[in-house]
Amino acid sequence: MTKKPVRHALNMLALAALAASGMAAAQDKPVELRFAHWLPPTHSLAKTGFEPWAKSVEAASKGSIKVAMFPAQQLGKAADHYDMARDGIADLTWINPGYQAGRFPVIAAGELPFLIGKPGPGSAALDAWYRNHAAKEMPDVKYCFAHLHVGTIHGKKPITEPAQIKGMKIRSANGTVAAFVSQLGGTNVQVSAPEARDALEKGVADAITFPWDSIIGFGIDKAVTHHSDMRMYASDFVWAMNKNWYDKLSANQKKVIDDHCSNEWAGKVGAAWGDSEDAGQAKLAKMPGHTIVPVSAAQVDQWKKAAEPIYAQWMQAVQQKGVDGKKALADLRQELEKRKAN
C-alpha cells in the first residue's frame, strides 16, 4: 500500500525537476558571443574549426548563445587579441601567444623546434599539459583551450641546412622561432600573418616560417616558391574568453561553454586544421613554379642539433617565472609520447 504512493510521488518529483530544467533552459536570456580572430573568413581554420565550434555552441544552447564572427583583424590587430579578450573588446578571441615574445613563456614550450610532428594529437597534448599552467600565466582571461599547427620554412630559394639562414631575413612564426633564427645568424622580420605577403614581395623578408595551406590562403604563394619538406616548428594558439562575459551566463549556458572549452575540442580543432594545412603541400607541388625541397635525415639532424640552445633558453625563461623548466618539459614530452604526437 505504501510503496505505490511513494513511487508515484518520486516519479512526480522527477518529472517536475525535468520540467523545471526544461523551463530554465527555455528561459535562458539570449546572449551574443563576439568571436574575434585575425584570419580571412575563407581560411581553412575558419571553416574547419571556428564555424563548427560556433554552430555546436548555438545548437547545444538551444539558440540562446549566438556567435558573431569578427575575422580579419576587424576588432584589433593580431598581436592584441589577448588584451581584447581581457578588456571585453571581444568576448572570445583566438590568440597566438608567440606574437608577444616573452609575455607567455610557459606555453612557448609548444613552439620548440622539432618537438611536435602531428598537429591533432599534439594539440590535445599541449592543451592537457597547459591546463596546469594557464590560470597562472593567463590570469586575465578564462582559458578555453589551446591547439597548434606544424609548419616549415618557405623561401625564394631552396633551404635545406641551418647554415643557410645566416644573413637571411626571415619572417618568424613566433618568438621561439625568432630566437632560433637569431642564433643561426639570420635577421627577424616581425610582422603578423596578414602582413607577411607584403613583407616578402617588397624584399623586407627573404623567407617565412608558415604552415602549408596557409601559404596559399594568405596569397604568400605569390611571393615564395621553394618549400622545405620537414616538420620544423609548431605555433601555439589559445582561445581566450572575457571573464565578465562568462560570469553573466546562466548555469546552463556556462555548462555549454565549459563543454566546448575542452581537451576534446582542442584535439578536434587541431586535427581538422592540421589535416587541412598538410593538404597544402600537395597543392603547392602541383602549382607551376613551385618546388618541394627534399631535406634528408642527416640534414634534419643538423637542424635539431642547432636548436638545442633554444631548449636551454626556454628552461631559463620559465625558471625566472617560478616554473621548473626541466620538469615542465618532461611532462610535456610525456603527454606527447602518450598521444603519439612526435
Side-chain angles (χ1 to χ4, degrees):
M1 290 288 292
T2 57
K3 287 186 178 178
K4 269 192 176 178
V6 170
R7 189 180 297 118
H8 177 72
L10 289 173
N11 287 340
M12 292 302 292
L13 283 170
L15 287 170
L18 283 171
S21 174
M23 286 177 64
Q27 292 171 1
D28 283 340
K29 182 181 176 182
V31 295
E32 181 182 69
L33 188 158
R34 296 166 299 160
F35 187 168
H37 64 87
W38 35 271
L39 298 174
T42 55
H43 189 275
S44 57
L45 177 58
K47 298 299 181 185
T48 63
F50 300 156
E51 291 180 12
W53 186 90
K55 288 176 182 175
S56 183
V57 165
E58 290 180 352
S61 68
K62 296 180 171 58
S64 73
I65 302 175
K66 295 289 186 184
V67 182
M69 292 289 182
F70 293 87
Q73 303 187 106
Q74 287 180 11
L75 299 184
K77 291 292 186 182
D80 296 333
H81 275 55
Y82 177 87
D83 295 330
M84 287 161 52
R86 178 196 65 192
D87 299 338
I89 294 169
D91 307 312
L92 178 66
T93 64
W94 182 69
I95 67 171
N96 182 338
Y99 278 1
Q100 294 182 312
R103 186 176 182 183
F104 307 107
V106 178
I107 198 171
E111 301 169 352
L112 290 167
F114 302 98
L115 178 64
I116 302 170
K118 298 176 183 176
S123 293
L126 177 72
D127 174 74
W129 171 81
Y130 191 61
R131 286 179 184 272
N132 298 314
H133 303 279
K136 185 175 180 180
E137 184 160 77
M138 298 186 176
D140 313 301
V141 298
K142 174 178 169 56
Y143 173 80
C144 186
F145 62 79
H147 62 102
L148 54 85
H149 74 230
V150 178
T152 187
I153 190 163
H154 313 261
K156 300 174 184 181
K157 62 182 183 179
I159 300 170
T160 57
E161 298 176 1
Q164 292 174 270
I165 300 300
K166 188 174 183 179
M168 290 186 71
K169 297 171 290 185
I170 312 289
R171 183 273 175 187
S172 299
N174 49 54
T176 304
V177 176
F180 191 25
V181 166
S182 295
Q183 181 199 304
L184 295 175
T187 300
N188 279 291
V189 177
Q190 295 184 333
V191 296
S192 66
E195 303 163 314
R197 175 181 172 179
D198 188 56
L200 288 156
E201 288 183 333
K202 290 180 177 177
V204 176
D206 304 314
I208 181 171
T209 54
F210 225 58
W212 290 95
D213 196 63
S214 285
I215 287 287
I216 302 167
F218 281 95
I220 298 170
D221 57 299
K222 309 295 190 297
V224 294
T225 54
H226 291 75
H227 316 277
S228 301
D229 189 7
M230 61 179 172
R231 314 291 275 178
M232 179 183 179
Y233 77 96
S235 266
D236 306 331
F237 302 90
V238 168
W239 296 32
M241 186 168 285
N242 177 263
K243 286 184 172 182
N244 289 333
W245 182 88
Y246 175 82
D247 289 342
K248 291 175 183 176
L249 297 177
S250 71
N252 292 312
Q253 291 169 330
K254 284 179 178 175
K255 184 178 187 308
V256 169
I257 294 299
D258 292 345
D259 289 346
H260 286 77
C261 287
S262 65
N263 185 250
E264 180 185 0
W265 270 99
K268 191 184 298 185
V269 170
W273 186 27
D275 290 346
S276 181
E277 287 291 356
D278 288 348
Q281 181 171 352
K283 295 178 190 176
L284 286 165
K286 293 177 182 177
M287 292 172 66
H290 286 265
T291 302
I292 306 300
V293 180
V295 181
S296 70
Q299 288 169 328
V300 170
D301 285 343
Q302 290 179 33
W303 286 98
K304 288 180 177 179
K305 180 78 172 173
E308 287 176 3
I310 302 303
Y311 283 69
Q313 286 179 25
W314 177 82
M315 287 190 189
Q316 185 177 10
V318 298
Q319 204 79 32
Q320 292 171 356
K321 297 290 184 178
V323 175
D324 183 340
K326 188 174 181 180
K327 181 182 184 305
L329 184 57
D331 289 345
L332 177 55
R333 287 187 187 275
Q334 186 176 17
E335 280 289 341
L336 293 167
E337 181 67 28
K338 182 170 71 176
R339 298 168 192 265
K340 297 180 170 56
N342 306 104

